[in-house]
Amino acid sequence: MERPSRPASSSPIPAGIRSDEAFRIALIGMPGSGKSTIGKAASARLGLAYVDVDQEIEQRIGSSVRSFFERHGEPAFRDLETEVLRDLLAGRPCLIATGGGAVLREENRHVLRSRALCVYLEASSRLLWSRLRRDRRRPLLQFEDAEQRLRAMTAERAPLYRQTAPIVIETDGFSFNGVVDELVARVTAKSDQ
Ligand code: S3P
């Protein structure tokens, strides 16, 4: 006898998204580009669990990313970031908000590309600065010349984000809901191909 197909409502993955056990979406982009806020809203719409790499790191180390950076330095943070990314990208289907520097290492770019559908949330450094100028949480922006650093980081990383993500979503000039709608539509279309 033919097995009855599972009712659509029992699947965590809505119609339109391929029902691949390993379906994961990873949002990449600069700090302040909306990876967490957009990611939470989109994951709810897509019926995927939401995971934040920085939050996962903070749970593992029992302190904030900023104080970890101050005590142990950036290379130690990057090692942890690679470890957490690898674990999350080997786990259950989910939507992952990565840290802005996740694309700096080739091994991270490789694991992101091969184990998730990556989406780059692109934002101009002007928009990013308008959101981050009062930020006290991000260790790489706690400097007098933070605005210049942000601009330089955006220029340095843009090609890395682009080479990692098959989907690029421009966010300047678009509303929060507009970006979420675009993300859901693009991911759904891509996974149908
Ligand atoms: C970083 C971005 C942060 C966090 C850490 C390093 C970066 O994440 O991982 O402070 O190198 O751009 P967000 O992109 O969520 O701010």
Side-chain angles (χ1 to χ4, degrees):
M1 200 176 73
E2 215 179 309
R3 282 177 69 191
S5 56
R6 276 198 305 167
S9 60
S10 73
S11 165
I13 300 162
I17 298 283
R18 74 177 182 221
S19 56
D20 176 345
E21 287 271 302
F23 189 79
R24 295 179 209 91
I25 296 167
L27 297 190
I28 62 175
M30 284 292 290
S33 59
K35 300 182 298 286
S36 311
T37 50
I38 301 283
K40 275 182 204 150
S43 65
R45 292 260 300 271
L46 292 164
L48 284 168
Y50 170 80
V51 221
D52 183 299
V53 173
D54 280 349
Q55 272 175 16
E56 183 67 30
I57 292 175
E58 289 182 339
Q59 264 171 26
R60 288 194 192 184
I61 60 183
S63 78
S64 70
V65 164
R66 182 174 172 184
S67 69
F68 187 86
F69 249 76
E70 283 163 3
R71 269 185 282 141
H72 305 281
E74 183 170 351
F77 172 78
R78 297 294 173 205
D79 287 344
L80 264 174
E81 184 175 49
T82 297
E83 187 183 303
V84 167
L85 261 180
R86 235 195 264 120
D87 290 351
L88 294 176
L89 288 165
R92 62 193 176 140
C94 57
L95 185 150
I96 302 176
T98 63
V103 295
L104 292 173
R105 287 187 174 175
E106 163 52 31
E107 64 180 304
N108 294 353
R109 297 198 293 277
H110 173 75
V111 79
L112 278 163
R113 270 194 303 262
S114 57
R115 306 204 55 100
L117 174 55
C118 291
V119 180
Y120 169 27
L121 294 184
E122 189 179 43
S124 66
S125 44
R126 175 135 44 111
L127 176 62
L128 297 172
W129 182 243
S130 72
R131 292 174 177 163
L132 297 176
R133 48 206 291 245
R134 291 194 183 81
D135 179 86
R136 294 291 163 262
R137 204 166 52 81
R138 293 169 172 91
L140 295 176
L141 295 176
Q142 308 311 312
F143 297 94
E144 284 280 307
D145 60 346
E147 187 177 3
Q148 285 89 316
R149 282 176 187 247
L150 184 68
R151 216 177 298 132
M153 275 161 57
T154 309
E156 179 203 349
R157 293 175 178 183
L160 302 177
Y161 294 132
R162 284 189 166 272
Q163 66 175 249
T164 309
I167 298 177
V168 179
I169 296 183
E170 197 192 322
T171 63
D172 281 63
F174 292 92
S175 67
F176 176 83
N177 286 331
V179 175
V180 176
D181 288 347
E182 175 79 1
L183 173 53
V184 170
R186 300 274 298 277
V187 159
T188 306
K190 191 90 185 166
S191 54
D192 270 348
Q193 283 170 10

